[in-house]
Amino acid sequence: MEKQKPSKNSILVWRIRATLILFGTAFILGALFVFFPIISSIIAALIIIAYILAITIYCPKLYKHTNFYLVGNNLIIEQGFFVRRKCMLSPERIQYIITLSGPIQRHLGVCSLSFMTAGSTQTLQNITPEDALKIKTALDLSKKEVRSERKKS
């Protein structure tokens, strides 16, 4: 499998999440404005600047630096803009795989895959359900091959 990117809708998912966080923060700042109007106004201005930077620069850059692909039996996940992380998951380490999709993801036709291992959980966010099924199938077949090889030994 060649390098693949998450769904194009992942940028929209991240922007919607940032907007929801902005609304929650605005609500809290509105309540604090009664007691600390100057400080609340300064914090609100900084948050609006951070929000604009997040939706215009960070979300597209994060999309650009998120890839996943299969090499042999292993799934490689590359994520991150500021801190780049490359994770290699082998089928024998994966205990189970969970497919997740929240209301925003379902509306936009994407889902996330969480890979549970003995020591950690790795998540591949905002991929199409078709890609999720391909990955799950490929890793399941790889796991069966590893088991059959162990039985032969």
Side-chain angles (χ1 to χ4, degrees):
M1 175 187 267
E2 71 278 351
K3 276 191 178 184
Q4 291 189 321
K5 296 218 151 291
S7 170
K8 282 279 190 189
N9 287 336
S10 59
I11 296 173
L12 185 56
V13 170
W14 293 325
R15 287 178 174 165
I16 291 170
R17 286 180 183 165
T19 304
L20 292 174
I21 291 169
L22 177 72
F23 286 150
T25 308
F27 179 77
I28 293 169
L29 282 175
L32 289 176
F33 185 79
V34 175
F35 303 107
F36 309 105
I38 296 172
I39 295 173
S40 296
S41 300
I42 293 169
I43 292 172
L46 292 174
I47 289 173
I48 289 172
I49 291 169
Y51 170 75
I52 291 169
L53 289 174
I55 65 169
T56 58
I57 297 172
Y58 181 71
C59 291
K61 292 285 187 182
L62 184 60
Y63 176 79
K64 180 182 174 188
H65 293 288
T66 301
N67 300 303
F68 63 94
Y69 51 96
L70 287 169
V71 175
N73 293 338
N74 300 320
L75 175 67
I76 310 288
I77 302 172
E78 298 173 344
Q79 292 176 323
F81 173 57
F82 291 117
V83 177
R84 295 199 182 150
R85 185 178 55 133
K86 187 174 185 177
C87 176
M88 183 174 75
L89 295 169
S90 59
E92 53 270 1
R93 285 187 47 224
I94 298 172
Q95 293 177 341
Y96 56 96
I97 303 171
I98 297 175
T99 305
L100 304 165
S101 60
I104 296 168
Q105 289 176 315
R106 279 193 302 274
H107 180 71
L108 295 173
V110 296
C111 64
S112 296
L113 277 180
S114 288
F115 303 93
M116 309 299 177
T117 64
S120 67
T121 301
Q122 301 297 325
T123 303
L124 181 56
Q125 295 183 348
N126 302 323
I127 59 173
T128 62
E130 294 81 23
D131 285 341
L133 185 60
K134 285 179 191 175
I135 291 170
K136 286 173 83 170
T137 304
L139 290 174
D140 190 42
L141 290 175
S142 298
K143 203 171 201 175
K144 287 178 182 176
E145 289 173 8
V146 169
R147 285 182 187 157
S148 64
E149 287 175 10
R150 284 183 183 166
K151 286 181 182 179
K152 290 178 183 177
S153 306

